[in-house]
Every structure is written in C-alpha cells, then in structure tokens.
Amino acid sequence: MEAREGEDSRKKVLVDKMLKELGEQLNTVHVPTNGQLVTPWLLTAHWNEWAKWFKKPMEELCALVSLPWPSLPDKEHYRTLPESIRSYFEEAVMLIDTTDNLVLQRLNLPDPAKEGISNMPFHKHLHQSTLKQYIHPIVCFMMMLQCLWFLKGANMEILRLEEMLQEDGIDQSQIVHQINVILLEVWTTPWSKNKFHIVCNPTESCLALLTLNHDGLG
C-alpha cells in the first residue's frame, strides 16, 4: 500500500514538472532561427521590423501607399501624377524598338548589373492593358516618397516635383523628366540597414505595404 502511494506521488511530481515546463514553453515567444520556418514574404519584406520601428496604426501605414484622391485638399495637386507616370512608361516602352538587342538581353536579367545575358530580350507587353498594372504601384511609390524622407538628394527632387505639379501650364515633358530623375536616384542608391531605417530600401518598404491588408496581414 505504501509502495503504491509512493509510486503515485512520484508520478504526480513528474506530471507537475512536465506541466510546468510545458507552461513555460507556451508563455515564451519563440523566434525561428531556421529560415525555412519563416515565410519568404517576411524574409524579404522584414515587415515585423518595419512595423515595430514605425510605431504607427495600420491605417496610417497603408495610407502611405494610397492613390492620390482629388477629393483630398492636400493631395489635389497630385491628381495628374498617374497620367504623368503613364507618359513616363509609354516613353520608356518606345525606347525598346531603338535599343540594341544585346542590351535588352542584359536588361531582362534579375540583376542586370551582373555579367551574363538572357535568352529572352526585354520586350513589350502582349496586352496594352498590362501597362496600367505596372503604373499603379509606381504611383503609390511616388506618393510614399513624398511622405517619407529616405535620401537627401531624392528628397530635394521630390519637393521639386511637388512644386512642378502645382505650377500652371508646365510642360508634361518636364514632369516626366523629373519623375525619371527621382526614380534613377532612388533605384541606383545602395541601401544598407542602419539605426534610422530598419528597412531602408524605399522600394522594399512600398512593396511590403502594398501587399498588406488593412488588418495588417499580408
């Protein structure tokens, strides 16, 4: 009888110990160290770091990449921006016909700065409607740039674009040129993580925000 009670007591102690350890594990936040356990989206966007650093409500973050609605007084002068970016893309597409084929093969690489060529040259879209799909994220990207300051040189050019959009009678070609100046400045800058910008690359920041729902889920 005493032997059985002793055995039951030891089992109870063992069970209590296991429950305690399990409780501690459940209360601990585990961060996966194995990259295979983290979604590719999170590995690329670093959304958790970006959101933690920004400390803004989800609605405000999503608003950073919203389209310029003419009904908003502070965005009214941006109402022509989508059309200007469309002109920018159309001019870029026209250059394809006059660009050397070898250059087009280099451009169609995932990283054109590296050596090598693609068997398929950079080419026009099969459907004209596809162009609109490419314009939308660039419009959102430009709107985000005018809200967030990433690079001193680009910031001055963005302010210049904002002034140009508010000028009456300004030539469309000047605005298109200014858009090119900004994008070239941003996309040719080597971005590196620092204490001021967790996700310092504005393109990655914009793409991360564009993939989010208003509830914060991607």
Side-chain angles (χ1 to χ4, degrees), residues 152-203:
K152 185 177 180 180
N155 294 335
M156 298 305 297
E157 299 298 345
I158 292 165
L159 289 175
R160 175 59 185 144
L161 175 64
E162 189 167 4
E163 293 172 355
M164 294 171 70
L165 291 172
Q166 297 181 67
E167 293 180 20
D168 293 329
I170 190 167
D171 191 88
Q172 177 76 351
S173 62
Q174 293 179 263
I175 297 177
V176 170
H177 172 73
Q178 190 64 17
I179 291 171
N180 183 65
V181 169
I182 293 170
L183 294 178
L184 194 62
E185 179 76 22
V186 173
W187 287 341
T188 57
T189 296
W191 300 94
S192 57
K193 185 175 178 179
N194 57 63
K195 64 179 181 180
F196 300 107
H197 293 293
I198 301 298
V199 183
C200 58
N201 189 322
T203 305

Side-chain angles (χ1 to χ4, degrees), residues 15-210:
V15 170
D16 289 343
K17 182 180 179 181
M18 292 176 62
L19 290 173
K20 182 179 179 182
E21 292 176 354
L22 180 60
E24 291 175 353
Q25 292 179 7
L26 292 174
N27 291 327
T28 303
V29 177
H30 294 277
V31 179
T33 55
N34 186 347
Q36 294 179 340
L37 301 178
V38 184
T39 63
W41 182 90
L42 194 59
L43 286 173
T44 302
H46 297 278
W47 165 245
N48 56 324
E49 298 180 24
W50 206 91
K52 180 180 178 182
W53 172 77
F54 226 86
K55 299 178 181 178
K56 282 184 176 292
M58 192 58 54
E59 293 77 10
E60 289 188 33
L61 290 175
C62 291
L64 292 173
V65 291
S66 62
L67 292 172
W69 297 104
S71 58
L72 299 176
D74 59 333
K75 306 292 184 184
E76 185 178 357
H77 56 283
Y78 278 98
R79 69 186 184 279
T80 59
L81 181 62
E83 186 58 37
S84 298
I85 291 179
R86 181 181 182 85
S87 298
Y88 173 75
F89 268 77
E90 289 175 344
E91 289 188 18
V93 169
M94 290 172 60
L95 291 174
I96 295 177
D97 293 333
T98 57
T99 302
D100 186 81
N101 196 61
L102 185 61
V103 175
L104 295 175
Q105 287 178 289
R106 287 289 301 274
L107 287 175
N108 211 31
L109 291 171
D111 187 353
K114 296 181 179 179
E115 295 183 2
I117 60 172
S118 170
N119 292 329
M120 176 67 71
F122 190 82
H123 55 280
K124 297 179 181 179
H125 302 299
L126 294 176
H127 304 287
Q128 183 65 22
S129 58
T130 308
L131 186 65
K132 186 177 181 180
Q133 298 174 11
Y134 279 75
I135 292 171
H136 176 254
I138 301 302
V139 174
C140 296
F141 182 56
M142 297 295 290
M143 294 303 297
M144 188 195 75
L145 288 178
Q146 62 93 26
C147 294
L148 302 176
W149 286 44
F150 284 88
L151 186 66
K152 185 177 180 180
N155 294 335
M156 298 305 297
E157 299 298 345
I158 292 165
L159 289 175
R160 175 59 185 144
L161 175 64
E162 189 167 4
E163 293 172 355
M164 294 171 70
L165 291 172
Q166 297 181 67
E167 293 180 20
D168 293 329
I170 190 167
D171 191 88
Q172 177 76 351
S173 62
Q174 293 179 263
I175 297 177
V176 170
H177 172 73
Q178 190 64 17
I179 291 171
N180 183 65
V181 169
I182 293 170
L183 294 178
L184 194 62
E185 179 76 22
V186 173
W187 287 341
T188 57
T189 296
W191 300 94
S192 57
K193 185 175 178 179
N194 57 63
K195 64 179 181 180
F196 300 107
H197 293 293
I198 301 298
V199 183
C200 58
N201 189 322
T203 305
E204 291 182 2
S205 301
C206 180
L207 292 175
L209 290 174
L210 285 173

